[in-house]
Amino acid sequence: MGFKTPRSAVTLMNVYDFDVLVIGSGPGGQKAAIAAAKLGRRVAIIERRDMIGGVCLNTGTIPSKTLREAVLYLTGLDQREMYGQSYRVKDEITIADLAARTQHVVGREIDVVRSQLSRNRVTILTGTGSFVDPHLVEVDDGAGRSRSASADKIVIATGTRPARPASVDFDDRAVIDSDGINNLEKVPRSMVVAGAGVIGIEYASMFAALGTKVTVVEQRDRMLEFCDVEVVEALKYHLRDLAVTFRFGETVASVESRPEGAIATLSSGKKIPADTVMYSAGRQGMSDNLRLGAAGLAADARGRIVVDEFFRTTVPHIYAVGDVIGFPALAATSMEQGRLAAHHACGEPLHAFGQLQPIGIYSIPEISFIGRTEEELTGENVPFEVGISRYRELARGQIIGDSYGVLKLLVSLEDRTLLGVHVFGTGATELVHIGQAVMGCGGTVDYLVDAVFNYPTLAESYKVAALDATNKMREIARFA
Ligand code: FAD
């Protein structure tokens, strides 16, 4: 680490086809490939036909976030405080209406990814990669042709696929996993979502907004337990208001497909008929097709590959990044892991992966946070004060018709630094980054008290919450 090898020297020394070979072109693989190319390395990326951009671009993040945007626009949901509960942009929203926006965005994004790879001279090898030995990968194009490519360094970025419990008879029509959402033929009138994880809750809120009668079944007693408890309560309140039914502490015991849909039977004996049952039961690492054994590697039962702090596997010249290494399994973190792995592989000086990572949940309304929760801090006996700002008390909140949004700062009573920022409501996933910047630079609540924000903005909520926290802290000091 800490040195740079000139490109010419690398090429002369090289006995391999490529300096860096990346398997998988999702966010982790893309950023690894481009970072290595920017450092002057000869890079190739292996990807299956029609999957450039990975799960992120083709079936996961981008289609789901575009669908959410289409739902918000066409239902007019976020304008109803202003124009009344009957406000709609379109009365009969069809799958074609929703798909049009998704296809447009996905098409454009694929173009962007292809163009970035080509202008950085990253070779695209089309097919499925599997190890022949620790430096050699065979690429099978699925049409009976294969080639092999060798490399000095290899980055595995093969992601995940939806886990499919053996007990469930998926028919990809009425009984689907989260990928199946992209192939629905009509907007279901009713839907059972099995699993209240991030993906399950995001889709539950989108379909509830479309008027689908949604039932969420979750075996645990609560959902999104890594988030702020009050924020999750607020989300549940909003979803119930959209006619979502929650069945906590229950499991789907069986699902039977019927011509008109499917019927889910819970272990308590309850039966829920629905047009669609969507399983969102976690994800399985895509490592079974890699022939890891040939490289001296292995994966765990969920297909995940273990790495060290620089994303090196147990075979030091082979790296793994993104969802295939497990938590937090986000596009955002995968990109950074890819970049860091490439820099490490190319001998660039680098920092270890930061601990301070934001979490964004694109439910309706959306949630985002960074740092610790009240529950965690209390559990660890860390003294803190809470500063709250409600959108309805901000001019911008009134203008956009968001009366429920809230921003919460958790401030250390010891050194006045921010320990956590939790946002619920419009723009939460953008707003959180102001808090991230302050926390990342070690700033205190006093910075936010003194800062002047554009007016009227939602960003102003930082100042309001900071004033709330410092007023409470002053009161503590006065009594003490
Ligand atoms: P992936 O995007 O998983 O892509 C891996 C690629 O590797 C695939 O294209 C696959 O074809 C390819 N591959 C697999 N095996 C091989 C092989 N042997 N040879 C060649 N290629 C192979 N994250 C966020 O940050 N924000 C969100 O809002 C968000 N929403 C999501 C919504 C849904 C419905 C889903 C499913 C996920 C969402 N995520 C979100 C998670 C995000 O999509 C993933 O974290 C991200 O895509 C992981 O990136 P990755 O680099 O690991 O690869």
Side-chain angles (χ1 to χ4, degrees):
M1 268 201 349
F3 63 90
K4 239 182 183 168
T5 316
R7 183 179 182 158
S8 53
V10 173
T11 311
L12 281 177
M13 289 181 319
N14 217 304
V15 292
Y16 300 109
D17 299 328
F18 297 97
D19 301 320
V20 179
L21 181 61
V22 180
I23 314 178
S25 71
Q30 268 166 53
K31 300 301 172 199
I34 288 172
K38 294 270 185 222
L39 294 171
R41 302 305 195 271
R42 295 169 309 137
V43 184
I45 194 163
I46 307 174
E47 181 55 87
R48 296 176 300 168
R49 195 170 297 286
D50 301 331
M51 276 302 280
I52 281 283
V55 163
C56 173
L57 226 167
N58 293 279
T59 52
T61 312
I62 301 301
S64 67
K65 265 61 289 176
T66 314
L67 177 68
R68 181 182 187 276
E69 213 56 40
V71 167
L72 279 179
Y73 173 70
L74 291 168
T75 60
L77 188 69
D78 54 2
Q79 299 297 318
R80 288 190 197 156
E81 273 193 34
M82 289 291 164
Y83 302 116
Q85 287 309 304
S86 60
Y87 178 79
R88 307 245 178 315
V89 168
K90 193 163 189 288
D91 277 328
E92 277 290 311
I93 301 169
T94 64
I95 281 289
D97 296 326
L98 301 167
R101 189 163 182 154
T102 307
Q103 280 157 10
H104 173 80
V105 173
V106 169
R108 289 282 175 95
E109 279 284 285
I110 288 176
D111 227 32
V112 170
V113 173
R114 276 194 183 281
S115 148
Q116 281 177 349
L117 292 173
S118 90
R119 72 171 187 264
N120 284 288
R121 295 168 198 276
V122 174
T123 305
I124 300 176
L125 303 173
T126 303
T128 302
S130 56
F131 284 97
V132 177
D133 70 38
H135 284 281
L136 188 65
V137 176
E138 186 186 347
V139 185
D140 180 343
D141 76 354
R145 285 179 299 267
S146 73
R147 60 160 290 179
S148 55
S150 62
D152 185 18
K153 302 283 166 56
I154 296 176
V155 181
I156 301 172
T158 48
T160 53
R161 61 171 177 267
R164 286 192 161 200
S167 56
V168 182
D169 213 0
F170 290 90
D171 63 7
D172 294 324
R173 179 191 60 88
V175 188
I176 60 173
D177 58 31
S178 65
D179 283 358
I181 293 286
N182 302 305
N183 304 322
L184 283 177
E185 284 172 4
K186 57 181 173 43
V187 176
R189 283 166 303 148
S190 50
M191 181 183 236
V192 172
V193 174
V198 174
I199 294 172
I201 288 298
E202 286 185 353
Y203 279 133
S205 57
M206 287 181 227
F207 282 94
L210 284 168
T212 302
K213 202 172 162 348
V214 179
T215 304
V216 176
V217 183
E218 169 56 57
Q219 60 185 1
R220 286 165 302 182
D221 292 331
R222 49 190 285 204
M223 64 183 207
L224 308 178
E225 62 282 355
F226 50 89
C227 295
D228 179 271
V229 176
E230 288 175 340
V231 165
V232 176
E233 280 307 315
L235 177 65
K236 283 197 295 194
Y237 171 83
H238 273 264
L239 293 182
R240 285 193 174 111
D241 203 39
L242 289 173
V244 173
T245 304
F246 288 101
R247 297 280 177 219
F248 288 110
E250 299 241 38
T251 47
V252 176
S254 66
V255 184
E256 285 166 54
S257 196
R258 294 274 192 279
E260 57 283 348
I263 183 153
T265 305
L266 308 192
S267 24
S268 63
K270 292 187 191 76
K271 290 194 181 294
I272 314 174
D275 283 359
T276 307
V277 176
M278 185 193 82
Y279 259 81
S280 185
R283 299 186 62 90
Q284 179 73 22
M286 283 280 284
S287 51
D288 42 2
N289 58 5
L290 281 171
R291 263 189 290 167
L292 288 176
L297 289 168
D300 69 11
R302 299 201 61 179
R304 290 171 302 206
I305 298 172
V306 175
V307 293
D308 69 10
E309 82 231 75
F310 298 116
F311 306 101
R312 274 178 304 196
T313 65
T314 47
V315 178
H317 73 272
I318 304 179
Y319 295 72
V321 298
D323 284 15
V324 76
I325 65 170
F327 185 84
L330 290 168
T333 41
S334 303
M335 291 183 206
E336 182 58 3
Q337 292 169 354
R339 189 184 73 86
L340 290 175
H343 276 223
H344 192 271
C346 297
E348 279 288 295
L350 77 166
H351 300 292
F353 190 67
Q355 290 304 305
L356 199 59
Q357 302 293 336
I359 301 284
I361 301 175
Y362 293 83
S363 45
I364 300 175
E366 67 191 58
I367 294 175
S368 195
F369 73 92
I370 187 151
R372 324 297 300 281
T373 62
E374 285 194 59
E375 229 178 344
E376 284 169 349
L377 293 170
T378 305
E380 291 163 25
N381 297 325
V382 177
F384 66 93
E385 190 49 88
V386 183
I388 290 200
S389 167
R390 298 189 188 283
Y391 286 14
R392 65 167 177 264
E393 290 176 21
L394 303 173
R396 175 57 66 186
Q398 294 294 348
I399 293 168
I400 62 173
D402 181 336
S403 61
Y404 48 83
V406 60
L407 179 139
K408 192 173 182 180
L409 299 180
L410 307 183
V411 182
S412 164
L413 284 179
E414 276 155 8
D415 60 10
R416 302 172 76 83
T417 53
L418 301 188
L419 300 172
V421 178
H422 300 264
V423 199
F424 175 70
T426 309
T429 52
E430 300 279 357
L431 274 180
V432 77
H433 298 303
I434 297 176
Q436 178 182 20
V438 176
M439 290 172 81
C441 296
T444 65
V445 67
D446 303 301
Y447 169 77
L448 294 169
V449 167
D450 295 335
V452 173
F453 290 89
N454 281 332
Y455 178 85
T457 56
L458 292 177
E460 191 203 354
S461 57
Y462 274 96
K463 183 159 182 135
V464 174
L467 284 165
D468 184 41
T470 48
N471 287 338
K472 289 175 181 162
M473 289 158 83
R474 196 173 301 112
E475 204 61 358
I476 296 170
R478 200 165 66 82
F479 274 69

